[in-house]
C-alpha cells in the first residue's frame, strides 16, 4: 500500500513545540492580563457578528457533517463558514489565534502548548465527555521486535507534537521509567505520521482514529499502549476570545446544537459512519468502529475540569516539555461569561 509522503508544513506553533522539546526555546513575554475579569459587555447576551467561522479537522466533525447549526444561525441572520480541514489541534489553534477561526474542538494538549507559547486570544468554552481511550495508541507492526513499551527506547517515533498523541506518549513512557528524550522524535501531522509508519519510515507511530482504525484494517499491528487511563479529559471546545465575549448568544446556540448532535451520534454509531463516509472517503465498517469508541457529547466547563487540565499542564512543565509553568485559569472565561455561553442541557 503506497501512500504519498509529504513533508510537514512548518508553522509558528509547530516551531514552538519543536524548540521547547529541544530545550532551545525561551519565552520572554508573559501572558498579559486575566480572562477572569470581564466587562459588562462581555457578559451581555447578544451578538455582533454576522458570520461565524467554525473549524474542523481531517478526522471529521459531526456538527459539520450533519449541518445542525446552519438552520439555527440562519434564523439569527448569521452565516456559517467552515474553515479547514486542519491536520490537528495545534494548526487549528494557530488559525484561531490569527483571527481566522471563532470556534473549534481539540484535545487537552494543544491549548496547553499554545498558552505556554504566549497565545492569549484562545479560551476554553466547554469540555467534551471523555471516551475509554480505545481509539488511540502507541503502535508497532505485528512482526516488530518491539514487544513492549520499554523497547521503544532509542527508536524513531512519529506523532503530532503538541497533540493528544504527545500526551499519551509522554505519560505512557513515565510508566516504564522513560522520557521523551529517550526516543527519536519524528514530528509529523497525524496523516503524515500514519503514512511514515505504513511505509516503514519509522518503527513506532502514536496516533488515533480514524487513522488508527484504517491502519488496523490495512496491516497487522500491535498496540503497545492505548489511551485508557491517560487521555481522560475528552478534549475541549475553544473559542477566539474577542468573538466569544461579543457573541455569547451565538456561542450558546452552537454549543447546544453540538451537544444535541453529539448525543444522537453516541446512540447511532452506524448512522454516524454512513454520514462521514462520503466526506472522509473511508469504508463504513471502519468508521462504525471509530464511532463506537468515540464520544461526542459536551460537558459544562467546571472548576474540577480546569483543575484536571492544570495537572496535565503541570506534567508537561515538570517533564520539561513546555518551557514554563502556566495557569490554565488564565485561559478561561469569567463565571458570568461561562454562564452566558453554556446551554442548560450541559451537565
Amino acid at each position: 500500500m503506497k501512500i504519498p509522503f509529504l513533508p510537514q508544513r512548518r508553522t509558528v506553533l509547530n516551531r514552538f513545540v519543536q524548540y521547547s522539546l529541544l530545550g532551545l526555546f525561551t519565552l520572554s513575554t508573559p501572558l498579559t492580563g486575566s480572562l477572569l475579569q470581564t466587562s459588562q459587555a462581555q457578559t451581555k447576551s447578544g451578538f455582533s457578528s454576522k458570520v461565524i467561522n467554525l473549524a474542523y479537522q481531517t478526522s471529521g466533525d459531526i456538527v459539520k457533517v450533519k449541518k445542525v447549526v446552519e438552520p439555527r444561525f440562519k434564523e439569527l441572520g448569521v452565516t456559517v463558514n467552515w474553515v479547514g480541514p486542519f491536520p490537528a489541534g495545534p494548526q487549528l489553534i494557530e488559525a484561531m489565534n490569527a483571527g481566522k477561526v471563532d470556534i473549534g474542538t481539540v484535545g487537552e494538549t494543544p491549548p496547553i502548548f499554545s498558552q505556554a507559547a504566549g497565545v492569549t486570544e484562545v479560551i476554553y468554552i466547554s469540555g467534551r465527555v471523555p471516551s475509554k481511550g480505545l481509539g488511540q495508541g502507541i503502535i508497532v507492526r505485528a512482526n516488530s521486535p518491539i514487544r513492549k513499551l520499554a523497547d521503544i527506547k532509542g527508536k524513531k517515533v512519529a506523532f503530532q507534537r503538541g497533540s493528544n498523541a504527545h500526551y499519551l506518549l509522554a505519560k505512557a513512557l513515565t510508566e516504564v521509567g522513560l522520557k521523551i528524550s529517550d526516543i527519536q522524535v519524528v514530528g509529523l501531522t497525524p496523516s503524515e505520521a500514519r503514512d511514515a509508519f505504513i511505509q516503514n519510515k519509522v518503527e513506532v507511530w502514536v496516533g488515533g482514529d480514524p487513522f488508527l482504525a484504517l491502519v488496523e484494517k490495512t496491516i497487522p499491528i500491535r498496540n503497545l499502549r492505548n489511551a485508557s487511563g491517560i487521555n481522560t479529559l475528552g478534549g475541549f471546545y475553544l473559542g477566539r476570545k474577542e468573538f466569544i465575549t461579543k457573541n455569547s448568544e451565538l456561542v450558546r446556540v452552537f454549543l447546544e446544537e453540538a451537544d444535541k448532535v453529539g448525543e444522537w451520534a453516541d446512540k447511532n454509531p452506524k448512522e454516524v459512519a454512513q454520514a462521514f463516509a462520503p466526506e472522509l472517503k473511508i469504508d463504513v465498517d471502519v468508521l462504525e468502529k471509530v464511532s463506537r469508541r468515540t464520544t461526542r457529547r459536551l460537558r459544562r466547563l467546571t472548576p474540577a475540569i480546569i483543575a484536571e487540565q492544570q495537572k496535565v499542564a503541570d506534567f508537561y512543565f515538570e517533564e520539561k516539555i513546555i518551557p514554563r509553568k502556566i495557569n490554565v485559569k488564565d485561559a478561561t472565561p469569567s463565571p458570568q461569561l461561562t454562564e452566558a455561553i453554556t446551554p442548560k442541557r450541559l451537565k
Side-chain angles (χ1 to χ4, degrees), residues 204-310:
V204 186
W205 167 50
V206 188
D209 286 335
F211 305 116
L212 176 57
L214 191 58
V215 171
E216 286 172 338
K217 184 178 180 179
T218 305
I219 60 174
I221 62 172
R222 182 184 307 119
N223 194 333
L224 300 176
R225 175 69 161 93
N226 62 32
S228 178
I230 293 181
N231 288 347
T232 58
L233 279 174
F236 296 90
Y237 265 104
L238 306 178
R240 185 169 60 86
K241 180 173 67 173
E242 182 180 6
F243 180 88
I244 302 304
T245 55
K246 292 181 178 179
N247 298 279
S248 59
E249 181 182 343
L250 292 185
V251 178
R252 188 178 70 253
V253 168
F254 173 83
L255 293 178
E256 183 176 293
E257 294 303 323
D259 185 56
K260 286 179 182 178
V261 76
E263 183 177 23
W264 170 84
D266 289 348
K267 297 176 181 177
N268 298 277
K270 187 168 185 177
E271 288 82 353
V272 170
Q274 292 169 340
F276 271 121
E279 180 170 313
L280 299 184
K281 304 297 190 291
I282 297 175
D283 292 342
V284 172
D285 63 327
V286 174
L287 291 174
E288 185 175 352
K289 182 178 185 179
V290 171
S291 190
R292 291 188 182 278
R293 56 193 189 189
T294 301
T295 52
R296 293 186 170 90
R297 284 212 67 180
L298 279 57
R299 56 180 180 167
R300 185 178 296 270
L301 195 64
T302 64
I305 291 175
I306 294 303
E308 286 299 310
Q309 179 74 338
Q310 185 65 53

Side-chain angles (χ1 to χ4, degrees), residues 15-258:
R15 285 198 295 271
F16 154 71
V17 177
Q18 180 184 21
Y19 297 155
S20 67
L21 281 167
L22 296 175
L24 299 176
F25 186 89
T26 57
L27 191 66
S28 58
T29 305
L31 290 173
T32 56
S34 171
L35 299 178
L36 296 177
Q37 301 298 321
T38 61
S39 66
Q40 289 183 347
Q42 290 175 315
T43 58
K44 182 180 178 181
S45 177
F47 54 92
S48 61
S49 178
K50 293 297 183 181
V51 177
I52 183 168
N53 298 299
L54 304 176
Y56 69 104
Q57 297 186 32
T58 52
S59 54
D61 192 304
I62 191 63
V63 179
K64 176 180 182 292
V65 169
K66 295 297 290 182
K67 300 185 183 300
V68 295
V69 296
E70 283 81 352
R72 291 287 304 274
F73 286 133
K74 186 176 181 180
E75 293 176 358
L76 297 172
V78 175
T79 300
V80 174
N81 178 42
W82 285 98
V83 184
F86 293 97
Q91 294 87 348
L92 187 158
I93 290 180
E94 185 178 31
M96 185 175 292
N97 188 52
K100 298 177 181 178
V101 169
D102 299 320
I103 295 176
T105 181
V106 301
E108 62 260 82
T109 290
I112 290 172
F113 274 70
S114 68
Q115 191 178 352
V119 170
T120 60
E121 295 305 308
V122 176
I123 62 175
Y124 298 86
I125 58 174
S126 84
R128 291 189 62 176
V129 174
S131 70
K132 295 180 180 179
L134 303 180
Q136 293 179 296
I138 303 171
I139 312 299
V140 297
R141 288 176 175 265
N143 60 359
S144 170
I146 300 173
R147 308 297 301 180
K148 58 185 185 300
L149 189 58
D151 295 339
I152 73 172
K153 182 177 182 179
K155 305 298 183 182
K156 290 182 179 179
V157 183
F159 62 95
Q160 167 74 62
R161 292 184 175 105
S163 71
N164 272 13
H166 199 153
Y167 186 57
L168 167 58
L169 177 63
K171 286 290 285 186
L173 287 174
T174 63
E175 295 176 347
V176 295
L178 298 177
K179 295 179 178 291
I180 290 285
S181 58
D182 291 317
I183 62 170
Q184 297 183 55
V185 172
V186 181
L188 298 170
T189 66
S191 61
E192 291 169 352
R194 173 207 59 189
D195 295 349
F197 174 71
I198 290 176
Q199 295 173 22
N200 270 325
K201 295 178 182 291
V202 295
E203 299 153 286
V204 186
W205 167 50
V206 188
D209 286 335
F211 305 116
L212 176 57
L214 191 58
V215 171
E216 286 172 338
K217 184 178 180 179
T218 305
I219 60 174
I221 62 172
R222 182 184 307 119
N223 194 333
L224 300 176
R225 175 69 161 93
N226 62 32
S228 178
I230 293 181
N231 288 347
T232 58
L233 279 174
F236 296 90
Y237 265 104
L238 306 178
R240 185 169 60 86
K241 180 173 67 173
E242 182 180 6
F243 180 88
I244 302 304
T245 55
K246 292 181 178 179
N247 298 279
S248 59
E249 181 182 343
L250 292 185
V251 178
R252 188 178 70 253
V253 168
F254 173 83
L255 293 178
E256 183 176 293
E257 294 303 323

